[in-house]
Structures are given as C-alpha cells and as structure tokens.
Amino acid sequence: MPRTIMLYVRWVDAFNRVVGRIVMFMIFVMIGVLLYASVARTAFNSPLIWSIEVSQFLMSSYYLLGGAYAMQMGAHVRMDLFYSRWSDRTRAWVDALTILLLIVFLAALLFGGISSTEYALRYGEKSYTAWAPRLAPIKIIMTFGVFLMLLQSVSTLIKDIARARGIRLEGEHLE
C-alpha cells in the first residue's frame, strides 16, 4: 500500500478512536440531565422544559460522533446468514461493496447536513418547542459526526480492499 494511504488510515483511525473514547462518557451527562429532570419533577414539582430536548441533543451527538468508532471496532450489527460461511477474502470483497454503498449514502447525508446547517446558521433556526433552542449547534455536531463516519468508511474500504487482496495492514483491528 502507498505510504499516503497508510498515513490516511492511521490518522483517521487514531482520530476517531480518540473522539469515540471521549464521546462514550457523554452517556453519563445524559443520564445526569434525565436524573436531574426526574428529581426536579417528582421531588420539587418543578418540571423542566429543556431536559428532554437536551437529552435528545446529547443522544444524537452520542451516536453520531461515536458511530465512526463503532465502525472501527466492528461493533455495528451484521446479518450473518451466509457471511460466516464465506472465506476471509470473499467477506472482504462483500464488505468493500457494502461500504461503497455506505459511502454514497453518507456523502448524500453530508451534503444535506451541510445545507441544513448553513440554513440554521444563516436564519437563526430554532426548535418549535417551548424552550426554543437554536438548532445550529446540534446540526454542526451532527454534520461533523457524518463527516467522521465518511472518513472512517473510506478507511474501512481501504482495509477491506487490502484484506481482499491478501494484504494485512499493520495495526488493523482484528474482528
């Protein structure tokens, strides 16, 4: 494999590993927000209008920013009806084909995310709830998460093609 491609794979994998390991702690922030809202509502009879929306924003951030890390670790769900019976090379070719379809989907999603984020920034788009937070911050995070998934998908495609050709990349995660 050319050195630039190997550098790309190493850099993307390392960056997404760091982001994923940081983001995994976001679940505790979300639990804290929901616990605080629950205690405020039941113990003090003071419901919070912002708690559910903040929890939704945190959860969206959690799974979109952590998606690339999950892909890297092989933690996404896979239909295993025929897959386990195939040779490693056949699996690699099928993985490469499906990752190509994912790349097309993520590119379209990224294009839409950039457009939606640009709109939210330009017009100060707000949620239609009583709290009415600005939507630009969550749209930026969501678009960044899709971008990280796209980068990781390209990295995974490179690793799948290498595996299909019988080349083992150093530092590659073994499933």
Side-chain angles (χ1 to χ4, degrees):
M1 283 277 161
R3 183 169 165 74
T4 54
I5 292 176
M6 290 302 301
L7 284 173
Y8 172 83
V9 169
R10 270 192 230 128
W11 184 85
V12 168
D13 286 357
F15 186 76
N16 281 328
R17 191 174 308 110
V18 169
V19 170
R21 288 181 178 169
I22 291 170
V23 167
M24 75 171 65
F25 293 105
M26 196 180 285
I27 198 78
F28 297 114
V29 176
M30 189 179 70
I31 289 169
V33 167
L34 290 172
L35 181 64
Y36 178 71
S38 180
V39 169
R41 183 179 51 251
T42 54
F44 304 113
N45 197 26
S46 176
L48 306 172
I49 62 172
W50 54 266
S51 61
I52 295 298
E53 206 153 15
V54 167
S55 297
Q56 290 170 343
F57 289 168
L58 287 169
M59 188 58 163
S60 298
S61 301
Y62 175 75
Y63 70 78
L64 281 166
L65 293 173
Y69 180 65
M71 176 185 284
Q72 185 183 96
M73 295 293 114
H76 287 289
V77 175
R78 179 188 319 263
M79 292 298 295
D80 197 14
L81 186 59
F82 304 110
Y83 191 82
S84 63
R85 297 180 187 143
W86 293 336
S87 69
D88 191 44
R89 282 190 169 183
T90 303
R91 279 186 259 163
W93 281 118
V94 171
D95 288 346
L97 177 65
T98 57
I99 208 83
L100 277 172
L101 297 173
L102 178 64
I103 288 170
V104 170
F105 173 73
L106 288 172
L109 202 59
L110 182 63
F111 179 75
I114 289 169
S115 174
S116 182
T117 301
E118 186 179 325
Y119 178 87
L121 288 167
R122 180 176 294 141
Y123 298 107
E125 183 181 18
K126 291 183 176 183
S127 173
Y128 293 107
T129 61
W131 181 42
R134 294 204 180 271
L135 295 177
I138 189 62
K139 286 187 176 190
I140 290 169
I141 291 169
M142 291 170 73
T143 302
F144 184 65
V146 170
F147 178 68
L148 291 179
M149 276 287 288
L150 185 58
L151 292 177
Q152 188 62 48
S153 296
V154 171
S155 173
T156 302
L157 175 64
I158 291 166
K159 290 186 272 188
D160 287 340
I161 290 171
R163 211 171 80 229
R165 293 175 62 207
I167 302 168
R168 203 70 175 161
L169 302 178
E170 64 182 67
E172 183 180 1
H173 172 71
L174 301 173
E175 294 181 23

